[in-house]
Amino acid sequence: MSSSSATPVPGNAGWGVSGNSREAWLKRNFPTVEDLRRRAQRRVPSLGYDTVAGGTGSDLAVLRNAAALDAIQIVPRYGVDRDEISTEVTLFGRSYAAPVGIAPMGLQGVMWPGAERHLARAAQQARIPYTAGTVSGVALEELAALAPDVVWFQLYRLAANDHAVGIDLVRRAKDAGVHVLVLTLDTPSRAKRPRELRNGLVLPFRPSLRTMLQVTMCPGWLWALATQGRPGFPTLARYAGQNASKRDIAGFAQREVRGGFTWQEVARYRDLWKGPLVVKGVMHPADAEIAVSLGVDGVQVSNHGGRQFEAAPAAIDVVPAVAAAVGRRATVLFDGGVRSGLDLMRARAAGADAALAGRTFLYGVAALGDGGADYVTQLLIEELRVAMRQAGAHALPDIASLVVRHPGAMQDWPAPPALARAESGR
Ligand SMILES: Cc1cc2nc3c(=O)[nH]c(=O)nc-3n(C[C@H](O)[C@H](O)[C@H](O)COP(=O)(O)O)c2cc1C
């Protein structure tokens, strides 16, 4: 055999980067989500980019989420045939192509006007869950029509008039064919997000001269704005009064979307919603326990992508304890910091049934426009397949039997005193 290797080197060749197709171009130029993030940052005014990329305070919890995932190590097993790999997962009785879904995100339109449509279409196409949000920039019914087989709906607390709006939204979700209802718990107060404040993203919105100038330097973003329209809160429009302007609707959203659901309210929505119910923002195994006792079908471990409470641990670091508390009684979802298919594997290794990602998908849309969300989905699933093949897992359940080092996993959980006080009525 000659020493010069005529055989293609396994590895990068397997990523399909040869040839001149658009796919090969994408894979060469954007081999990772980080490459997409960088391009997104260049194409979007800082008003939009900072709003999405940032978190509360100094972004420490955002950084913590990613660092904690990076720290997880998985010991590979070799010597087995790895041809057949399946990433299929069943969640709430439906089967999906991979253990990854799109997390709910309001304000996406500032990152890329109309991003929701790209994400919903891509999720339907790839057969992964898509979570429409109460404050999405595209109406619930339109998103449900774009993603009929995979749509979930995230509800924020709208408690005025004995939850009249919240209850109506649940009815609309059912009529629109939503499969899973997700109640967000982790927004008891408005978070201080300095990056948004510095960019003037406060209501009423009055863009500064700097913002206007930046916008003129982002032609792709401007085109998306021209074709998709100004971001707003269309799902809430009908509740803001007849002929309400976009500004009135934004004011309504800011006034009425308040607080995180209490357990009493979760119990009430459990009665109302007959389909699968998830509570999002669970960080303590004792809270997971309460959720399960109320009959929820899933708990979504999340620190809101580091946007609410800066001292919160990385969401992945509490997954093992929550998964242990919940056992087989409910599905465990996780989000916060997912940037690769390997992160999906890490989430499974930590005990989650599936992970959701937020920013990662938006970076794809802002970097590439149409097709960006499809590309991210493809990238994540391909990376997961390669990671599984590398580690010796044929199917997702095999991941649980691998040896994992999770240095940040929180292990000491003393009985929570605040809860004990509430129970004893003091
Ligand atoms: C711009 C933005 C808006 C968000 N809006 C919502 C929302 O309306 N409702 C909600 O429950 N979570 C919201 N989240 C949190 C996400 O659902 C998810 O928990 C988080 O993005 C996961 O972290 P990741 O972005 O690092 O993947 C938002 C996150 C971002 C980045």
Side-chain angles (χ1 to χ4, degrees), residues 369-421:
D370 202 16
D374 304 273
Y375 179 62
V376 170
T377 312
Q378 186 195 340
L379 189 75
L380 293 180
I381 297 179
E382 210 166 287
E383 286 176 348
L384 173 62
R385 295 179 73 82
V386 170
M388 287 173 66
R389 191 167 278 134
Q390 184 66 38
H394 293 103
L396 299 176
D398 298 339
I399 296 173
S401 60
L402 295 170
V403 173
V404 177
R405 178 182 285 160
H406 185 163
M410 289 187 62
Q411 274 155 1
D412 299 323
W413 295 93
L419 196 69
R421 255 204 310 282

Side-chain angles (χ1 to χ4, degrees), residues 181-253:
L181 179 67
V182 181
L183 304 178
T184 297
L185 299 179
D186 60 4
T187 49
S189 68
R190 284 199 195 289
K192 183 172 175 181
R193 302 193 185 124
R195 291 218 224 177
E196 287 178 14
L197 294 171
R198 284 185 207 114
N199 280 298
L201 194 79
V202 280
L203 292 174
F205 179 53
R206 288 196 196 90
S208 65
L209 192 62
R210 192 179 122 240
T211 301
M212 309 265 265
L213 270 175
Q214 276 193 353
V215 165
T216 60
M217 282 157 23
C218 300
W221 188 92
L222 265 180
W223 178 250
L225 184 71
T227 51
Q228 301 285 323
R230 241 181 340 125
F233 303 98
T235 299
L236 296 178
R238 66 177 71 174
Y239 309 113
Q242 265 192 347
N243 305 323
S245 65
K246 276 202 163 172
R247 180 168 287 218
D248 296 336
I249 300 164
F252 172 86

